[in-house]
Amino acid sequence: MIGAMDETRARIERAVEALCEAEAKRAPIAGLPEAARPRDVAEAYAVQDRFAAYLGKPVGYKIAYINPAVQKQLGIPSPMFGRLFEGRVFASPARLEATRFNHILVETEFAFRMARALPARALPYSLAEVVGAVGAAIPSFELADTRYLDWRVVAPLDAVADNALGSHWVGGAECADFRGLDLAALEVVTSVNGREASRGRGANVGGSPLQALAWLANELARMGRGLAAGDRITTGCCMDVLELAPGDATEADFGPLGRVRVELTR
């Protein structure tokens, strides 16, 4: 048993070293070495925890692969989560240097700011409890990225290890009166350089963005973790993932929820 534990720790250490080196050198890797690849979800999140400590101070969470269409597109069997980090969270309209990224992947997402904590507990949180803990809804972009060469073929556990391909986040103005909106039915239109690029609805995110948030609250609680007051949670892509180039600008119109914009400077 001790030998197996030592082997697991060594595998985690090798994975963390590979990801940290790829991030530091801005040099994507084909994938984790076989001797460093996580063997299960718990090990993958252990790698993520260590890698997150390298990336910065967490200020919230991102939900990944909760859109069934994105799961099918990328061959991912279930949702997962990663972290948002201080210094990588920006207010809209934002201008970010394209050199920050290996891949500029824009995901249009409903986000929330938590007003109250949802700590770990044995009893699952109800949707009403989760909604009651939210302070505001936020129209947002997640700018996903990866330390791997090809984001389309990342194995699920390798994706978890790489912060669920999380990188930067841009949020629009907060909407405290979101409870009067049907977020599941709300249509969102994203344009790139002034031309419509994709559209979707809140229902694409696990049935609704609030259902997605409830999934995260209960997944964290199951793992002995929790959401803190002030955390920002971005709930996953509600339409196609858009791959941008340096110089592109993108804007999403969330109707009554507001707008969000980011420009990628050369």
Side-chain angles (χ1 to χ4, degrees):
M1 179 63 70
I2 294 177
M5 291 175 60
D6 288 344
E7 182 180 332
T8 298
R9 282 195 291 265
R11 196 162 49 242
I12 291 170
E13 186 65 30
R14 285 191 288 266
V16 173
E17 288 177 356
L19 292 169
C20 289
E21 183 176 4
E23 173 69 13
K25 294 182 176 179
R26 309 302 304 156
I29 56 178
L32 291 174
E34 183 58 35
R37 297 188 67 185
R39 299 300 192 262
D40 55 34
V41 172
E43 194 172 315
Y45 278 117
V47 175
Q48 183 189 115
D49 289 344
R50 293 278 305 282
F51 186 43
Y54 173 81
L55 291 175
K57 177 184 176 181
V59 293
Y61 289 88
K62 61 154 287 177
I63 301 173
Y65 310 121
I66 199 155
N67 182 337
V70 173
Q71 291 178 16
K72 182 177 180 180
Q73 178 185 3
L74 300 179
I76 303 292
S78 63
M80 58 186 69
F81 66 82
R83 315 293 179 84
L84 300 180
F85 296 99
E86 188 175 76
R88 297 181 177 221
V89 166
F90 299 89
S92 173
R95 299 180 79 245
L96 303 181
E97 304 89 349
T99 53
R100 288 174 174 262
F101 305 93
N102 297 316
H103 313 273
I104 307 172
L105 308 174
V106 172
E107 301 186 6
T108 304
E109 308 194 357
F110 293 80
F112 300 99
R113 176 183 53 78
M114 304 305 296
R116 299 199 304 274
L118 294 174
R121 72 181 197 188
L123 182 68
Y125 286 102
S126 69
L127 180 60
E129 288 177 299
V130 172
V131 174
V134 175
I138 309 168
S140 78
F141 283 135
E142 182 195 348
L143 284 87
D145 196 7
T146 178
R147 274 42 65 170
Y148 305 126
L149 283 170
D150 190 347
W151 62 275
R152 297 174 183 83
V153 296
V154 179
L157 295 182
D158 289 7
V160 171
D162 188 22
N163 195 43
L165 310 193
S167 183
H168 292 61
W169 180 82
V170 176
E174 292 190 353
C175 176
D177 297 329
F178 70 92
R179 290 172 180 82
L181 301 175
D182 184 347
L183 298 184
L186 198 152
E187 186 173 52
V188 185
V189 179
T190 298
S191 61
V192 176
N193 302 328
R195 302 184 64 176
E196 182 177 326
S198 189
R199 62 175 59 209
R201 296 181 184 273
N204 294 337
V205 186
S208 85
L210 289 166
Q211 291 281 6
L213 179 61
W215 171 83
L216 178 65
N218 285 312
E219 182 72 359
L220 291 173
R222 185 186 64 80
M223 299 170 68
R225 311 185 187 199
L227 293 172
D231 275 353
R232 295 180 179 91
I233 314 301
T234 191
T235 59
C237 192
C238 68
M239 59 182 69
D240 296 326
V241 177
L242 303 176
E243 192 162 12
L244 270 59
D248 284 344
T250 183
E251 184 168 353
D253 181 357
F254 285 72
L257 192 61
R259 306 175 76 94
V260 60
R261 176 181 172 84
V262 64
E263 178 182 350
L264 284 305
T265 62
R266 298 180 186 276

